[in-house]
Amino acid sequence: MYNSYSTEERTLESYLWWLSGTDQLIPNYSCREQGKVVAVIGGATSALSVQMGTLLDLYHLPQLHSYLKNTQFKNAVGEQVFVDENRRRIYDPCGVLSMTDRCSWVPSAVCSASCPAGFRKLPLEGKPPCCFSCSPCSEGEISRHKDAEQCKKCPEDEYPNEQRDRCLPKIVTFLDVNEPWGKAVTAVAVSLSFLTALVLWVFVKFQDTPIVQANNRNLSYLLLTSLSSCFLCSLLFIGRPTTASCLFRQTVFAVVFTVAVSSILAKTIIVVLAFRVTGPGSRMRMFLHPRAPYCVVLICSGIQGLFCAIWLGTHPPFPEADTSSESRHIILTCNEGSTFAFYCVLGYMGFLALGSFTIAFLARNLPDAFNEAKFITFSMLVFCSVWVSFLPTYQSSKGKAVMIVEIFSILASSAGLLGCIFIPKCLVILLTSWKNNTKQNKSQRSSRSKGFSFFNLISLFSPVSCKTIFLNFF
């Protein structure tokens, strides 16, 4: 502002004209069509410049004067600017001014460099607003422009790119039969189911042998059939989830497994009753009725079926899209509907398994040539160990890992039952046909078979033994 007029009135007039922006003085109005007033530069020595600061302060405009001592003012961003006693300009970091081609003064922030896209400005404590650090956007967030104050979160069906300056659509995925895990699970489940069917065929072919008849062969048939179904149940967890598959995968698994465990419970109860109920007048003899084991299986399985029916009738499972487990994928899975119902079903199976384990453990030393209580004890120990390990692993898993953990538990526990109870019997049937000869003397058969255990199974795999197994099998 040129303020070298001869009178203060002319100087004041020039100030008001400049503020109005037109030839006609209109106080408190600005008719400027372009440009923005940032500051006013006064004269070099005139005291009038200091006086005019009072007028300009009404319009929140500083008066910049390079040669005044102990002067202070506010710049366009509201920060204080001081001139020291040596008449040197002490610019604040946010108010450094630069000359443009139109001879106007504009602020230029030079305290901190601009933050690129993908970052956000992080204020520094005790520093002016233009002093900041650049912090990368957090996981799942982006910033599209420079000097962003805040990062924005991507929608649930999108994820940030590596630069975190834009969102990309997530890929929909599920445990597919064609991916490595799906192929491995399918191969193992089908193979074990086929092996179980093979064991069932051996038991049917040698159904008249003492080792098959000793512990209720019909229950053995039922147990083998349910075990074969248990292996196949794992296939329900593979493939794109649908309403039907979500409804049946857990309930079918629960009922089929309950049939298997209750069959083992019935076999164990019959063994114990056969030795404990010896008196002719004992009331417990009624439980030795041929239909008693089937009643045990029917009642235990019926209770589980009732639990599943209540589950499906109140809070049934349903398909859902999991958008939070993996950053770049939307995982299609099944929501259990009611976590409480799911754990009630598992808890009931655990209760039956624990009962079978306890009864079999108490009957493990009963004197019998074909007593399978030891094998049932070990199989139930394996079964319970698998499902006890399943619970914390299942709760801490996410995405596809949840289904893989449950599939592994199904296959491992079923394989434990098959291997501990039936594989030793199959080896005895196929290798030692003389032990299965009903015409042999009872004492001879008893003395030769009584010492059979897991430790002498190793001797069964000699070349001669393998030849005997092959001949007996075919």
Side-chain angles (χ1 to χ4, degrees):
M1 176 59 63
Y2 181 69
N3 59 359
S4 298
Y5 291 105
S6 59
T7 62
E8 295 180 355
E9 290 79 3
R10 293 291 306 276
T11 303
L12 177 60
E13 182 182 8
S14 67
Y15 272 95
L16 293 176
W17 172 85
W18 176 74
L19 290 173
S20 300
T22 61
D23 294 336
Q24 183 178 1
L25 300 181
I26 310 176
N28 298 328
Y29 285 90
S30 176
C31 300
R32 295 179 183 271
E33 296 181 355
Q34 296 180 348
K36 179 180 180 182
V37 178
V38 176
V40 177
I41 294 296
T45 59
S46 175
L48 184 60
S49 298
V50 178
Q51 298 175 5
M52 294 309 298
T54 304
L55 173 63
L56 296 176
D57 187 58
L58 296 175
Y59 299 94
H60 305 289
L61 294 175
Q63 184 199 41
L64 301 183
H65 202 294
S66 301
Y67 303 101
L68 294 179
K69 291 184 179 180
N70 300 325
T71 303
Q72 68 179 38
F73 56 88
K74 289 185 178 181
N75 61 14
V77 293
E79 297 291 330
Q80 292 285 347
V81 179
F82 298 90
V83 177
D84 65 7
E85 60 182 2
N86 296 322
R87 299 181 179 180
R88 293 178 302 178
R89 175 62 51 82
I90 306 178
Y91 293 121
D92 71 300
C94 300
V96 176
L97 304 180
S98 60
M99 180 71 74
T100 67
D101 56 354
R102 295 187 179 182
C103 298
S104 60
W105 295 89
V106 296
S108 175
V110 296
C111 180
S112 300
S114 297
C115 293
F119 291 77
R120 69 181 180 91
K121 295 197 301 185
L122 193 64
L124 298 177
E125 186 177 356
K127 298 290 184 179
C130 64
C131 295
F132 50 82
S133 62
C134 297
S135 176
C137 290
S138 303
E139 185 71 24
E141 296 182 341
I142 65 165
S143 62
R144 299 180 182 272
H145 309 289
K146 295 194 307 180
D147 293 332
E149 298 288 344
Q150 297 293 335
C151 295
K152 296 182 179 180
K153 196 172 185 64
C154 286
E156 290 186 349
D157 57 346
E158 296 180 353
Y159 70 97
N161 61 350
E162 293 184 0
Q163 293 75 25
R164 298 186 181 180
D165 57 2
R166 62 192 182 100
C167 296
L168 303 176
K170 291 184 177 180
I171 301 174
V172 178
T173 184
F174 51 90
L175 186 58
D176 190 20
V177 69
N178 294 319
E179 65 178 278
W181 273 111
K183 292 179 179 179
V185 168
T186 302
V188 173
V190 172
S191 300
L192 291 176
S193 181
F194 176 76
L195 178 61
T196 307
L198 204 59
V199 173
L200 177 60
W201 181 83
V202 171
F203 269 63
V204 172
K205 181 177 180 180
F206 297 94
Q207 59 181 326
D208 295 327
T209 57
I211 196 170
V212 175
Q213 295 179 348
N215 296 103
N216 199 318
R217 67 184 175 191
N218 290 333
L219 275 180
S220 297
Y221 297 160
L222 179 61
L223 177 55
L224 286 168
T225 303
S226 61
L227 283 178
S228 180
S229 301
C230 287
F231 289 122
L232 296 178
C233 278
S234 60
L235 301 180
L236 293 174
F237 293 83
I238 304 175
R240 190 183 189 94
T242 62
T243 302
S245 64
C246 289
L247 288 175
F248 288 110
R249 64 169 51 174
Q250 296 290 5
T251 53
V252 171
F253 147 72
V255 173
V256 172
F257 251 82
T258 302
V259 172
V261 176
S262 58
S263 299
I264 296 176
L265 178 62
K267 288 167 68 70
T268 311
I269 291 175
I270 294 302
V271 172
V272 174
L273 291 179
F275 283 91
R276 300 301 184 188
V277 183
T278 56
S282 176
R283 295 182 178 179
M284 299 292 291
R285 293 182 66 87
M286 61 179 293
F287 294 104
L288 289 177
H289 192 278
R291 295 182 179 178
Y294 308 109
C295 292
V296 173
V297 175
L298 184 62
I299 293 174
C300 294
S301 303
I303 294 175
Q304 185 71 290
L306 181 61
F307 285 158
C308 292
I310 296 175
W311 183 7
L312 295 180
T314 54
H315 301 284
F318 57 91
E320 72 170 356
D322 181 5
T323 60
S324 59
S325 295
E326 296 186 11
S327 59
R328 300 189 176 187
H329 295 89
I330 297 176
I331 302 176
L332 301 182
T333 184
C334 289
N335 188 305
E336 306 304 342
S338 172
T339 305
F340 176 76
F342 174 68
Y343 285 112
C344 281
V345 167
L346 288 182
Y348 179 72
M349 283 194 299
F351 172 76
L352 294 180
L354 185 61
S356 300
F357 170 79
T358 304
I359 297 174
F361 180 79
L362 296 176
R364 70 190 186 282
N365 294 323
L366 292 178
D368 182 39
F370 301 106
N371 181 17
E372 60 178 352
K374 293 181 179 179
F375 299 106
I376 293 177
T377 301
F378 190 76
S379 67
M380 287 294 99
L381 182 61
V382 173
F383 183 90
C384 294
S385 300
V386 169
W387 287 104
V388 168
S389 305
F390 162 80
L391 294 177
T393 308
Y394 180 84
Q395 291 178 343
S396 60
S397 300
K398 294 182 179 180
K400 293 182 183 180
V402 175
M403 292 171 283
I404 295 175
V405 166
E406 188 165 0
I407 290 173
F408 173 80
S409 300
I410 293 173
L411 296 178
S413 56
S414 302
L417 298 180
L418 177 65
C420 296
I421 297 177
F422 292 102
I423 298 301
K425 294 181 181 180
C426 286
L427 292 176
V428 172
I429 291 173
L430 298 175
L431 183 63
T432 57
S433 59
W434 58 270
K435 289 186 178 181
N436 296 307
N437 188 352
T438 56
K439 297 180 180 179
Q440 293 289 338
N441 183 273
K442 180 179 180 181
S443 61
Q444 181 184 10
R445 185 175 67 245
S446 176
S447 62
R448 291 184 180 181
S449 61
K450 191 171 184 178
F452 182 78
S453 65
F454 282 110
F455 298 100
N456 57 30
L457 284 179
I458 301 176
S459 63
L460 299 179
F461 293 97
S462 63
V464 177
S465 300
C466 293
K467 179 180 179 181
T468 307
I469 293 174
F470 180 81
L471 293 176
N472 287 330
F473 186 80
F474 294 101

